[in-house]
Amino acid sequence: MNDLVRQHTALSESDLEWLHLLVSEWQLLSDLSFADLVLWVPTLDGTRYVSVAQMRPNTGPTSYQDDMVGHLVPRGRRPLLDAALDEGRIVREGDPEWREEVPVRVESIPVRREGRVLGVIARNTNLLTVRTPSRLELTYLQSASDLAQMIAAGSFPFPGQQVDMDASPRAGDGLIRLDADGIVQYASPNALSAYHRLGLASDLVGQHLGELTAQLAPSRGPVDEAIAKLASGYAPREAEVEGNGGVIQLRAIPLKPKGTRIGSLVLLRDVTELRRRERELITKDATIREIHHRVKNNLQTVAALLRLQARRMDSDQGREALNEAVRRVGSIAIVHETLSQNLDERVEFDEIADRVLAMVAEISPGKVNCRRTGRFGILDAEVATPLSMVLTEVLQNALEHAFAPGEQGSVEVAALRGGTREDSRLLITVRDDGCGLPPGFDAQRTGNLGLQIVRTLVEGELGGSFDMVPAPDRGTKVVLDIPVGAEK
């Protein structure tokens, strides 16, 4: 719609925002009318109309099998559009049109904003299935007529009331029509069922909806008054009401077809099961985060015990082995700490990589500068945990063996995320400018315990590849290629 309006019309950005607001609301008008809606806007030169939006009803058959958005129609071909635009009134005159042997009643509703008519809504009703209307259908049609008059007068949609079409209740979910005093004139079967879920034992018709809703909801002091006001339909509002184990979502729409409120529409949806599932998920998420938090605490306790044991060791070799174990445990603890702060089992690994770099840099025998380039992105926990250990081992190996005590140097960790969406891969390069590899070194066969851990985790658990080769200029380069899946 943005492109069509800016390309073909003279409407301002504020006018375009008004059309967006209208389009966010007009599913309701379409459902209440049992009709298709097409929004036509005059072009810049005033000789044509361009259709910028279209809506089909959920409550009846469509009148348009094809998409009408983007169509251009010369002025004069559709007299009802001309009359609505020029005279600023709803136009219903004329005989039904025939489209593919289907009779269609066409009406035109001017879209007014601040006294100006921005465009025209063509309301197209498929008459093939017309029958004697029920009380529900009559209420729908009367409410649609009131909303159409409000659109023509510029009083609907309500400014500042942008509606989420997916989350807000729709006409089919449940509809209640109130008079000017807030008394229920009509309640659809779904609306009645929703109030029975709240504990209502009688009918809704004839009752003051605001007072009744406040009685059914638990006592919450000042909130009762707000609920009563909302359910009475005095202002456009949305809220949820909970009582008797049930939860319903309410949306009030004041009806002012001639400037004075004659009543209200209250749309409602029973969201009891939805909220129950959400609470179960919240409880589950909280439990998972608590588990990660406790695992992190236990790992830190193990690291502390190993560190204490290392201080008591007389053997330098044994002390260093325990310190290596402390760092391995610490790298896993970092992942669990990050997971304990998230709502899902995915982590932003860049933060973890930076913390691992800082932790391992503490053992540097000289003035070695450690840095990261590129981005790891978001990884699943099942990838992040072994990868943190792999990164710890590779960095620890570089800092211990590449530089002599007091020697200056640098270690760079470069990450590159690439591949297709279905086969995303992470390429990690750890490069130092130290003394390089000894003659005859084979990373696949030789190496200390740390490199054996790296090979096992990368090839066995992560399903990737690992190689350690001399760097082009000086030093050593470790290359890790790991499948990580799509980044959501």
Side-chain angles (χ1 to χ4, degrees), residues 357-371:
L357 268 170
M359 177 181 68
V360 176
E362 295 178 359
I363 68 166
S364 173
K367 299 177 181 180
V368 179
N369 177 35
C370 298
R371 67 180 183 276

Side-chain angles (χ1 to χ4, degrees), residues 386-407:
L387 183 56
S388 68
M389 282 196 66
V390 167
L391 194 58
T392 300
E393 297 298 335
V394 171
L395 288 169
Q396 187 170 284
N397 187 74
L399 291 174
E400 284 185 358
H401 301 290
F403 305 101
E407 183 181 2

Side-chain angles (χ1 to χ4, degrees), residues 258-284:
K258 296 181 180 179
T260 303
R261 193 173 70 86
I262 62 168
S264 305
L265 277 183
V266 177
L267 305 178
L268 62 153
R269 175 189 296 166
D270 185 348
V271 293
T272 305
E273 292 304 313
L274 179 63
R275 295 297 176 259
R276 181 182 63 81
R277 292 192 189 101
E278 287 178 350
R279 288 166 184 164
E280 288 178 353
L281 287 174
I282 290 173
T283 302
K284 177 183 176 182

Side-chain angles (χ1 to χ4, degrees), residues 442-444 458-459 465-469 477-481:
D442 184 355
Q444 302 302 323
V458 171
E459 297 172 359
S465 62
F466 157 73
D467 199 8
M468 178 182 286
V469 296
K477 181 172 70 171
V478 176
V479 180
L480 307 170
D481 187 0

Side-chain angles (χ1 to χ4, degrees), residues 3-58:
D3 293 339
L4 289 170
V5 168
R6 289 166 182 159
Q7 179 181 354
H8 294 286
T9 77
L11 297 183
S12 65
E13 289 298 318
S14 58
D15 293 334
L16 179 57
E17 285 302 315
W18 182 262
L19 295 185
H20 274 293
L21 192 61
L22 172 66
V23 169
S24 74
E25 292 273 21
W26 71 343
Q27 179 73 65
L28 174 61
L29 177 63
S30 179
D31 290 344
L32 293 176
S33 303
F34 308 98
D36 290 75
L37 305 178
V38 180
L39 178 57
W40 297 92
V41 180
T43 57
L44 185 61
D45 57 10
T47 62
R48 296 180 295 176
Y49 298 97
V50 58
S51 58
V52 298
Q54 179 179 0
M55 179 58 66
R56 293 183 173 92
N58 294 318

